[in-house]
Amino acid sequence: MIKDQLLAIKSTLPDHVTLVAVSKTKPDEDLIEAYEAGQRIFGENKVQEMVGKWERLPKDIKWHMIGHLQRNKVKYMAEFVDLVHGVDSFRLLVEINKRAEKLNRSIDCLLQIHIAEEDTKFGLDEEELNTLLKSDKYRQLQHVNVVGLMGMATFTDNETQIRREFKHLKSIFDAIQTENEQIKILSMGMSGDYKIAIEEGSTMVRIGSSIFGKRNY
Ligand SMILES: *Cc1c(COP(=O)(O)O)cnc(C)c1O
């Protein structure tokens, strides 16, 4: 069933859109089923859980941290994480840089932009983003690569609102892309809204429940 749902979704995605299979809370068997159907990028939102799965599952899986990240957890995943989606402060970026430097690697990151109406969704606003990208402190970080932006729309049935929020994020993305050639990835869209997100310019969708079924917390 996971295989069928995964392949059905993949068949609808344009070539320029990358699928992150969001496997948070799901057991290893579920990830293996998706893996055997060809999926290699998995998204988790808890560091500990991601570390356990990384230890147990095939080593060619690319692990994306999609959740809100605490600085004191960065060290546990610095060795293997492929992309960090939710970087929402300069201090977090500094910590990721420090841990990557110790391991003699660099870590790709997306800056999270606050586009939703709700206060509860983390992220920078446009001004904070521009200040960060223009700062000398940021340019001195040699072990993180900011390769794009991530955002979450308001959790609502109102399609007009969701579309407006994604359009807003896309316009911010376009503006910084003209000045930063390493900006390539726009991570927006989940099970409920990824079709709208793709229409509005997403290049990476994070889909969980439509592949793996509802989560039991
Ligand atoms: C859980 C989660 C998703 C996937 O949500 P679904 O609605 O199950 O597709 C995507 N992005 C983030 C940041 C998440 O925490």
Side-chain angles (χ1 to χ4, degrees), residues 193-209:
D193 58 19
Y194 75 91
K195 290 181 182 135
I196 305 175
I198 291 170
E199 286 166 13
E200 297 306 332
S202 171
T203 71
M204 185 173 275
V205 290
R206 310 174 310 270
I207 300 181
S209 44

PDB file of all heavy atoms in Angstrom, residues 193-209:
ATOM      1  N   ASP A 193      -1.430  20.228   0.607  1.00  0.00           N
ATOM      2  CA  ASP A 193      -1.318  21.429  -0.233  1.00  0.00           C
ATOM      3  C   ASP A 193      -0.198  21.372  -1.276  1.00  0.00           C
ATOM      4  O   ASP A 193       0.132  22.385  -1.888  1.00  0.00           O
ATOM      5  CB  ASP A 193      -1.170  22.674   0.657  1.00  0.00           C
ATOM      6  CG  ASP A 193       0.035  22.608   1.599  1.00  0.00           C
ATOM      7  OD1 ASP A 193       0.950  21.808   1.344  1.00  0.00           O
ATOM      8  OD2 ASP A 193       0.051  23.366   2.593  1.00  0.00           O
ATOM      9  N   TYR A 194       0.370  20.190  -1.503  1.00  0.00           N
ATOM     10  CA  TYR A 194       1.537  20.162  -2.394  1.00  0.00           C
ATOM     11  C   TYR A 194       1.219  20.481  -3.844  1.00  0.00           C
ATOM     12  O   TYR A 194       2.060  20.999  -4.580  1.00  0.00           O
ATOM     13  CB  TYR A 194       2.307  18.832  -2.263  1.00  0.00           C
ATOM     14  CG  TYR A 194       1.669  17.635  -2.911  1.00  0.00           C
ATOM     15  CD1 TYR A 194       1.964  17.295  -4.227  1.00  0.00           C
ATOM     16  CD2 TYR A 194       0.768  16.831  -2.212  1.00  0.00           C
ATOM     17  CE1 TYR A 194       1.384  16.190  -4.824  1.00  0.00           C
ATOM     18  CE2 TYR A 194       0.184  15.729  -2.805  1.00  0.00           C
ATOM     19  CZ  TYR A 194       0.492  15.408  -4.106  1.00  0.00           C
ATOM     20  OH  TYR A 194      -0.087  14.325  -4.694  1.00  0.00           O
ATOM     21  N   LYS A 195      -0.043  20.181  -4.260  1.00  0.00           N
ATOM     22  CA  LYS A 195      -0.375  20.483  -5.652  1.00  0.00           C
ATOM     23  C   LYS A 195      -0.368  21.994  -5.889  1.00  0.00           C
ATOM     24  O   LYS A 195       0.150  22.472  -6.900  1.00  0.00           O
ATOM     25  CB  LYS A 195      -1.723  19.877  -6.026  1.00  0.00           C
ATOM     26  CG  LYS A 195      -1.618  18.359  -6.098  1.00  0.00           C
ATOM     27  CD  LYS A 195      -2.906  17.680  -6.489  1.00  0.00           C
ATOM     28  CE  LYS A 195      -2.705  16.180  -6.484  1.00  0.00           C
ATOM     29  NZ  LYS A 195      -3.794  15.436  -5.839  1.00  0.00           N
ATOM     30  N   ILE A 196      -0.937  22.712  -4.929  1.00  0.00           N
ATOM     31  CA  ILE A 196      -0.915  24.186  -5.030  1.00  0.00           C
ATOM     32  C   ILE A 196       0.530  24.675  -4.975  1.00  0.00           C
ATOM     33  O   ILE A 196       0.941  25.548  -5.735  1.00  0.00           O
ATOM     34  CB  ILE A 196      -1.723  24.828  -3.872  1.00  0.00           C
ATOM     35  CG1 ILE A 196      -3.145  24.273  -3.822  1.00  0.00           C
ATOM     36  CG2 ILE A 196      -1.740  26.346  -4.001  1.00  0.00           C
ATOM     37  CD1 ILE A 196      -3.966  24.773  -2.631  1.00  0.00           C
ATOM     38  N   ALA A 197       1.310  24.085  -4.056  1.00  0.00           N
ATOM     39  CA  ALA A 197       2.706  24.514  -3.900  1.00  0.00           C
ATOM     40  C   ALA A 197       3.484  24.358  -5.207  1.00  0.00           C
ATOM     41  O   ALA A 197       4.256  25.238  -5.588  1.00  0.00           O
ATOM     42  CB  ALA A 197       3.371  23.716  -2.776  1.00  0.00           C
ATOM     43  N   ILE A 198       3.257  23.245  -5.901  1.00  0.00           N
ATOM     44  CA  ILE A 198       3.976  23.015  -7.165  1.00  0.00           C
ATOM     45  C   ILE A 198       3.539  24.044  -8.209  1.00  0.00           C
ATOM     46  O   ILE A 198       4.356  24.607  -8.927  1.00  0.00           O
ATOM     47  CB  ILE A 198       3.767  21.569  -7.644  1.00  0.00           C
ATOM     48  CG1 ILE A 198       4.504  20.613  -6.700  1.00  0.00           C
ATOM     49  CG2 ILE A 198       4.257  21.394  -9.079  1.00  0.00           C
ATOM     50  CD1 ILE A 198       4.188  19.144  -6.917  1.00  0.00           C
ATOM     51  N   GLU A 199       2.239  24.308  -8.254  1.00  0.00           N
ATOM     52  CA  GLU A 199       1.768  25.342  -9.185  1.00  0.00           C
ATOM     53  C   GLU A 199       2.402  26.690  -8.892  1.00  0.00           C
ATOM     54  O   GLU A 199       2.617  27.506  -9.778  1.00  0.00           O
ATOM     55  CB  GLU A 199       0.237  25.481  -9.103  1.00  0.00           C
ATOM     56  CG  GLU A 199      -0.509  24.338  -9.759  1.00  0.00           C
ATOM     57  CD  GLU A 199      -2.000  24.307  -9.390  1.00  0.00           C
ATOM     58  OE1 GLU A 199      -2.527  25.294  -8.826  1.00  0.00           O
ATOM     59  OE2 GLU A 199      -2.619  23.259  -9.665  1.00  0.00           O
ATOM     60  N   GLU A 200       2.731  26.911  -7.630  1.00  0.00           N
ATOM     61  CA  GLU A 200       3.305  28.200  -7.236  1.00  0.00           C
ATOM     62  C   GLU A 200       4.827  28.194  -7.213  1.00  0.00           C
ATOM     63  O   GLU A 200       5.438  29.137  -6.725  1.00  0.00           O
ATOM     64  CB  GLU A 200       2.729  28.634  -5.881  1.00  0.00           C
ATOM     65  CG  GLU A 200       1.218  28.866  -5.891  1.00  0.00           C
ATOM     66  CD  GLU A 200       0.755  29.854  -6.972  1.00  0.00           C
ATOM     67  OE1 GLU A 200       1.545  30.746  -7.357  1.00  0.00           O
ATOM     68  OE2 GLU A 200      -0.397  29.723  -7.455  1.00  0.00           O
ATOM     69  N   GLY A 201       5.437  27.122  -7.683  1.00  0.00           N
ATOM     70  CA  GLY A 201       6.887  27.169  -7.884  1.00  0.00           C
ATOM     71  C   GLY A 201       7.737  26.333  -6.947  1.00  0.00           C
ATOM     72  O   GLY A 201       8.961  26.475  -6.927  1.00  0.00           O
ATOM     73  N   SER A 202       7.122  25.454  -6.175  1.00  0.00           N
ATOM     74  CA  SER A 202       7.909  24.583  -5.299  1.00  0.00           C
ATOM     75  C   SER A 202       8.858  23.701  -6.108  1.00  0.00           C
ATOM     76  O   SER A 202       8.520  23.243  -7.200  1.00  0.00           O
ATOM     77  CB  SER A 202       6.956  23.689  -4.498  1.00  0.00           C
ATOM     78  OG  SER A 202       7.686  22.698  -3.795  1.00  0.00           O
ATOM     79  N   THR A 203      10.036  23.429  -5.537  1.00  0.00           N
ATOM     80  CA  THR A 203      10.943  22.460  -6.161  1.00  0.00           C
ATOM     81  C   THR A 203      11.161  21.246  -5.268  1.00  0.00           C
ATOM     82  O   THR A 203      11.880  20.323  -5.630  1.00  0.00           O
ATOM     83  CB  THR A 203      12.330  23.071  -6.470  1.00  0.00           C
ATOM     84  OG1 THR A 203      13.034  23.282  -5.244  1.00  0.00           O
ATOM     85  CG2 THR A 203      12.209  24.372  -7.231  1.00  0.00           C
ATOM     86  N   MET A 204      10.558  21.263  -4.066  1.00  0.00           N
ATOM     87  CA  MET A 204      10.719  20.133  -3.145  1.00  0.00           C
ATOM     88  C   MET A 204       9.475  20.044  -2.274  1.00  0.00           C
ATOM     89  O   MET A 204       9.100  21.025  -1.623  1.00  0.00           O
ATOM     90  CB  MET A 204      11.968  20.352  -2.282  1.00  0.00           C
ATOM     91  CG  MET A 204      12.312  19.188  -1.376  1.00  0.00           C
ATOM     92  SD  MET A 204      13.916  19.421  -0.543  1.00  0.00           S
ATOM     93  CE  MET A 204      15.044  18.808  -1.784  1.00  0.00           C
ATOM     94  N   VAL A 205       8.834  18.873  -2.290  1.00  0.00           N
ATOM     95  CA  VAL A 205       7.628  18.699  -1.471  1.00  0.00           C
ATOM     96  C   VAL A 205       7.914  17.692  -0.361  1.00  0.00           C
ATOM     97  O   VAL A 205       8.681  16.743  -0.545  1.00  0.00           O
ATOM     98  CB  VAL A 205       6.412  18.270  -2.315  1.00  0.00           C
ATOM     99  CG1 VAL A 205       5.963  19.426  -3.214  1.00  0.00           C
ATOM    100  CG2 VAL A 205       6.714  17.029  -3.158  1.00  0.00           C
ATOM    101  N   ARG A 206       7.317  17.929   0.794  1.00  0.00           N
ATOM    102  CA  ARG A 206       7.528  17.071   1.971  1.00  0.00           C
ATOM    103  C   ARG A 206       6.204  16.372   2.273  1.00  0.00           C
ATOM    104  O   ARG A 206       5.282  16.973   2.812  1.00  0.00           O
ATOM    105  CB  ARG A 206       7.958  17.928   3.169  1.00  0.00           C
ATOM    106  CG  ARG A 206       9.118  18.889   2.879  1.00  0.00           C
ATOM    107  CD  ARG A 206       9.373  19.793   4.088  1.00  0.00           C
ATOM    108  NE  ARG A 206       8.162  20.416   4.581  1.00  0.00           N
ATOM    109  CZ  ARG A 206       7.703  21.603   4.161  1.00  0.00           C
ATOM    110  NH1 ARG A 206       8.364  22.327   3.283  1.00  0.00           N
ATOM    111  NH2 ARG A 206       6.572  22.090   4.650  1.00  0.00           N
ATOM    112  N   ILE A 207       6.107  15.092   1.881  1.00  0.00           N
ATOM    113  CA  ILE A 207       4.813  14.417   1.968  1.00  0.00           C
ATOM    114  C   ILE A 207       4.892  13.218   2.906  1.00  0.00           C
ATOM    115  O   ILE A 207       5.732  12.332   2.731  1.00  0.00           O
ATOM    116  CB  ILE A 207       4.341  13.999   0.557  1.00  0.00           C
ATOM    117  CG1 ILE A 207       4.214  15.261  -0.319  1.00  0.00           C
ATOM    118  CG2 ILE A 207       3.006  13.253   0.640  1.00  0.00           C
ATOM    119  CD1 ILE A 207       3.736  15.000  -1.731  1.00  0.00           C
ATOM    120  N   GLY A 208       4.035  13.226   3.903  1.00  0.00           N
ATOM    121  CA  GLY A 208       4.009  12.149   4.889  1.00  0.00           C
ATOM    122  C   GLY A 208       2.755  11.308   4.817  1.00  0.00           C
ATOM    123  O   GLY A 208       2.747  10.197   4.277  1.00  0.00           O
ATOM    124  N   SER A 209       1.641  11.832   5.326  1.00  0.00           N
ATOM    125  CA  SER A 209       0.448  11.002   5.503  1.00  0.00           C
ATOM    126  C   SER A 209      -0.123  10.463   4.192  1.00  0.00           C
ATOM    127  O   SER A 209      -0.695   9.373   4.178  1.00  0.00           O
ATOM    128  CB  SER A 209      -0.608  11.751   6.315  1.00  0.00           C
ATOM    129  OG  SER A 209      -0.733  13.065   5.877  1.00  0.00           O
TER     130      SER A 209
END
